[in-house]
């Protein structure tokens, strides 16, 4: 398994479940953390090919740039399973299946919450995007925009990446607040770690997160529940990190030659 990194609470949960589920099935798991760098994932996949593993699984940090190394895995007759995030490829035969959330629907759920709960007059929104070029960042933005499209009172006045981390989320929110301060009515963060960083920035700017600035986020990690209980976050759209059980079952099926659907969506709510 080539993991993206340990950038967020969500990622840490996905990693621990993956390891536990392999252990529980007596699967020999080789695991590499890429510190959110694509070249490290490619190196890890090449080392797995050299070790002649049975199956390669990975969570692609960004959607493009995988065809070359996946062709090497295909040439080595090693099946590849995508987890968590999807890729763009000219040759879908380069992977067996993709197990992960429907990020566009997660973005729509965030937009629907906004329309149902923040009404009346102009609503100025700032957006903290996930990692540039990653499927969740692209799709959570698309789904959210789809829902607010045509509703002129809902305006995204600033949108920038916080790379899914607390530190960057706080830093970018500080810049948003410096530029637009109390014009900001809503924050839409593509994950809870950035939202939690932004909540600190909102408080340091003397505003009340959850009331002056409504906070809409995604993942539903423990920190999000703590923020919601404290009244500092209004909603978190669940993104289920427990892909491990399905991944390990499907890895065994793939080794046994059982065909798989191209896409397996994880179950999750709000
Ligand atoms: C979503 C996952 C995202 C999480 C972030 O499935 O790829 O990456 O939403 C994580 O917390 O960094």
């Amino acid at each position: 398994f080539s993991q993206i990194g340990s950038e967020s609470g969500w990622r840490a949960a996905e990693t621990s479940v993956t390891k536990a589920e392999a252990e529980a099935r007596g699967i020999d798991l080789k695991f590499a953390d890429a510190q959110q760098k694509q070249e490290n994932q490619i190196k890890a996949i090449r080392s797995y090919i050299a070790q002649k593993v049975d199956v390669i699984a990975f969570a692609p940090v960004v959607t493009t740039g995988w065809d070359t190394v996946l062709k090497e895995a295909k040439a080595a007759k090693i099946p590849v399973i995508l987890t968590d995030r999807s890729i763009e490829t000219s040759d879908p035969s380069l992977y067996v299946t993709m197990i992960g959330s429907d990020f566009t629907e997660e973005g729509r759920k965030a937009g629907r919450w906004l329309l149902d709960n923040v009404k009346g007059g102009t609503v100025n929104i700032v957006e903290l995007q996930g990692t540039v070029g990653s499927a969740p960042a692209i799709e959570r933005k698309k789904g959210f925009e789809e829902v607010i499209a045509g509703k002129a009172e809902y305006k995204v006045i600033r949108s920038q990446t916080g790379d899914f981390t607390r530190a960057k989320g706080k830093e970018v929110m500080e810049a948003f607040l410096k530029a637009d301060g109390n014009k900001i009515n809503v924050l839409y963060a593509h994950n809870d770690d950035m939202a939690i960083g932004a909540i600190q920035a909102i408080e340091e700017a003397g505003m009340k997160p959850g009331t002056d600035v409504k906070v809409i986020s995604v993942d539903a990690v423990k920190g999000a529940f703590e923020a919601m209980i404290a009244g500092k976050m209004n909603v978190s759209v669940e993104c289920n990190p427990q892909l491990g059980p399905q991944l390990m079952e499907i890895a065994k099926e793939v080794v046994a030659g059982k065909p798989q659907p191209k896409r397996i969506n994880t179950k999750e709510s709000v």
Side-chain angles (χ1 to χ4, degrees):
F1 188 90
S2 162
Q3 178 59 295
I4 289 176
S6 50
E7 73 282 0
S8 68
W10 188 97
R11 187 67 54 200
E14 190 208 8
T15 290
S16 59
V17 171
T18 299
K19 288 179 174 175
E21 294 297 325
E23 175 92 21
R25 291 169 176 78
I27 288 175
D28 170 18
L29 177 69
K30 300 173 189 305
F31 183 92
D33 174 326
Q35 283 94 37
Q36 285 194 281
K37 290 187 177 58
Q38 180 172 32
E39 65 265 25
N40 290 344
Q41 290 201 281
I42 290 170
K43 271 191 216 126
I45 292 168
R46 287 202 165 117
S47 84
Y48 298 148
I49 294 170
Q51 295 173 62
K52 298 187 176 9
V53 296
D54 296 307
V55 190
I56 294 172
F58 76 114
V61 61
V62 291
T63 55
T64 54
W66 303 100
D67 281 9
T68 303
V69 72
L70 294 183
K71 284 187 181 124
E72 292 166 22
K74 186 174 183 180
K77 299 196 175 11
I78 299 175
V80 173
I81 299 172
L82 300 183
T83 68
D84 174 23
R85 299 182 184 177
S86 54
I87 65 171
E88 277 163 37
T89 174
S90 55
D91 179 0
S93 77
L94 291 175
Y95 67 92
V96 174
T97 186
M98 187 271 174
I99 310 165
S101 300
D102 178 347
F103 301 128
T104 309
E105 183 56 20
E106 291 173 348
R108 292 192 196 99
K109 288 173 183 174
R112 288 184 204 122
W113 186 90
L114 175 68
L115 298 190
D116 292 347
N117 293 277
V118 183
K119 297 177 183 152
T122 304
V123 179
N124 292 319
I125 304 153
V126 294
E127 180 181 25
L128 286 171
Q129 298 178 33
T131 301
V132 175
S134 68
I138 294 163
E139 295 171 29
R140 284 172 185 162
K141 183 171 181 44
K142 191 174 72 169
F144 183 81
E145 285 172 350
E146 194 184 288
V147 167
I148 67 170
K151 299 191 181 345
E153 65 275 31
Y154 293 92
K155 295 182 189 329
V156 178
I157 58 172
R158 289 190 186 273
S159 181
Q160 200 179 317
T161 184
D163 207 19
F164 282 134
T165 68
R166 286 191 186 201
K168 203 89 177 68
K170 180 176 185 196
E171 191 187 305
V172 174
M173 190 66 197
E174 282 163 355
F176 287 168
L177 287 159
K178 215 172 252 121
D180 288 319
N182 48 23
K183 253 180 66 189
I184 299 170
N185 306 116
V186 174
L187 163 64
Y188 169 43
H190 291 185
N191 85 329
D192 295 331
D193 290 73
M194 295 190 292
I196 289 163
I199 283 167
Q200 286 168 9
I202 295 166
E203 289 181 314
E204 285 168 13
M207 294 167 78
K208 289 169 82 62
T211 37
D212 301 334
V213 180
K214 297 282 185 261
V215 178
I216 303 171
S217 186
V218 186
D219 278 354
V221 295
K222 182 167 186 242
F225 284 93
E226 289 165 343
M228 288 187 276
I229 289 163
K232 298 180 181 179
M233 182 185 285
N234 302 84
V235 61
S236 188
V237 174
E238 181 192 10
C239 179
N240 186 346
Q242 318 233 10
L243 307 177
Q246 282 174 295
L247 170 60
M248 295 306 161
E249 282 310 309
I250 287 158
K252 290 197 308 187
E253 289 179 6
V254 165
V255 169
K258 198 161 166 260
Q260 298 297 325
K262 209 65 192 168
R263 176 69 203 253
I264 298 166
N265 275 343
T266 34
K267 292 178 188 58
E268 53 196 30
S269 69
V270 176

